[in-house]
Amino acid sequence: LYTTLISSFTETIIIIIKTYSILFVITFIGLFLGFQVIGIKQALNLSFFIAFFDFFPVLGIEMIMFPWIITLALLNQISLSLKLFILYGIIALIRNILEPHLLSKKIKIPALYMFVAMYLFMKLIGIWGVMVAPFVLLVLNNFQEIYKIIKKSLWNLYMFCYNIRATMSRICEYSTYSLDIAKKLTYGG
C-alpha cells in the first residue's frame, strides 16, 4: 500500500518534470520565433533566459515580460511594447492550454479534471496550486485504487474465513459421525 503511494508519487514528480520540460521547449521555441519576427536582437539568449525563468512556477514568463513591456511603453516605444504583449498572450495561451492537457494525459486523469483542479488550487493557494493540483488528483486517484485493493482483500479474507468455517463444520460433522460409528461398534447399538 505504502509502496504503491510512494511509487505513484515518484512517478508523478517525474511526469511533472517531463511535462514542464516540454513546456520549457515550447516556450523557448515560441519566444525565439516571436522575437525573430519582431526583430529583437539576442533573440536566442533572451528566449532561453525567459523560458528558463518560466520553468519555475513562482517566477513565470510574466516576471520578465511585463516589466519589459511596461518599460517600453513608458519609453514611448508603443509598437514594440504591443508586439511583445501579443507575443506574451500567444505564449501564455498555448501554455495554459497545453499544461493541463499534458499533465492529465501522462497521469491518466481527464484534462477537464486537471484544468479545474489547477484553476481551483491556483485560486486557493496561488501559483503553487498549479504544482499541487496534479499531486492531489493523483492521491485521490490512488485512494480509489487503494479502496479497490482493500475491498478485494477484505472479500478474500471473508472468503478465507468462510471456507475455514465450512471446513471446520465438515470436520465436526465427520467427527460426530465417526463417534456415532465408534459407539455402535463398541456398544453394539
Side-chain angles (χ1 to χ4, degrees):
L1 191 65
Y2 292 115
T3 55
T4 304
L5 283 174
I6 290 171
S7 68
S8 294
F9 185 75
T10 306
E11 182 181 330
T12 302
I13 288 174
I14 291 169
I15 287 169
I16 287 174
I17 290 171
K18 285 181 181 178
T19 300
Y20 283 102
S21 297
I22 292 169
L23 290 171
F24 168 81
V25 170
I26 290 170
T27 303
F28 170 74
I29 292 171
L31 286 170
F32 179 71
L33 293 175
F35 288 160
Q36 289 289 352
V37 168
I38 293 172
I40 302 282
K41 294 178 181 174
Q42 299 291 324
L44 186 67
N45 294 337
L46 279 172
S47 300
F48 182 80
F49 177 71
I50 295 172
F52 182 74
F53 219 72
D54 191 42
F55 190 75
F56 302 100
V58 174
L59 304 175
I61 191 174
E62 299 84 15
M63 296 295 282
I64 305 268
M65 295 292 285
F66 283 164
W68 189 13
I69 292 167
I70 291 169
T71 304
L72 288 173
L74 292 174
L75 293 174
N76 214 16
Q77 294 182 1
I78 304 298
S79 175
L80 183 57
S81 176
L82 189 60
K83 290 175 187 176
L84 286 174
F85 185 73
I86 291 170
L87 176 62
Y88 162 76
I90 292 169
I91 298 292
L93 180 69
I94 290 170
R95 278 189 53 89
N96 288 333
I97 290 171
L98 284 179
E99 186 174 8
H101 178 72
L102 289 172
L103 284 172
S104 67
K105 186 175 162 186
K106 300 217 181 207
I107 298 178
K108 296 180 179 115
I109 294 173
L112 180 62
Y113 295 171
M114 184 65 69
F115 179 76
V116 169
M118 290 171 88
Y119 177 77
L120 290 176
F121 275 89
M122 190 172 71
K123 289 293 184 187
L124 288 173
I125 60 175
I127 197 71
W128 286 104
V130 174
M131 294 294 286
V132 171
F135 289 108
V136 171
L137 286 179
L138 181 73
V139 167
L140 291 175
N141 195 30
N142 281 340
F143 278 141
Q144 184 179 15
E145 294 299 317
I146 291 167
Y147 171 75
K148 288 177 186 177
I149 291 168
I150 290 172
K151 185 178 174 183
K152 185 176 179 182
S153 298
L154 288 175
W155 177 253
N156 289 339
L157 179 64
Y158 169 77
M159 291 307 296
F160 176 74
C161 291
Y162 177 81
N163 289 334
I164 286 177
R165 186 180 118 332
T167 303
M168 294 302 288
S169 178
R170 280 189 231 116
I171 289 172
C172 288
E173 285 177 25
Y174 293 138
S175 298
T176 306
Y177 180 70
S178 298
L179 273 173
D180 289 341
I181 292 174
K183 282 182 189 176
K184 288 180 184 177
L185 291 174
T186 306
Y187 299 115

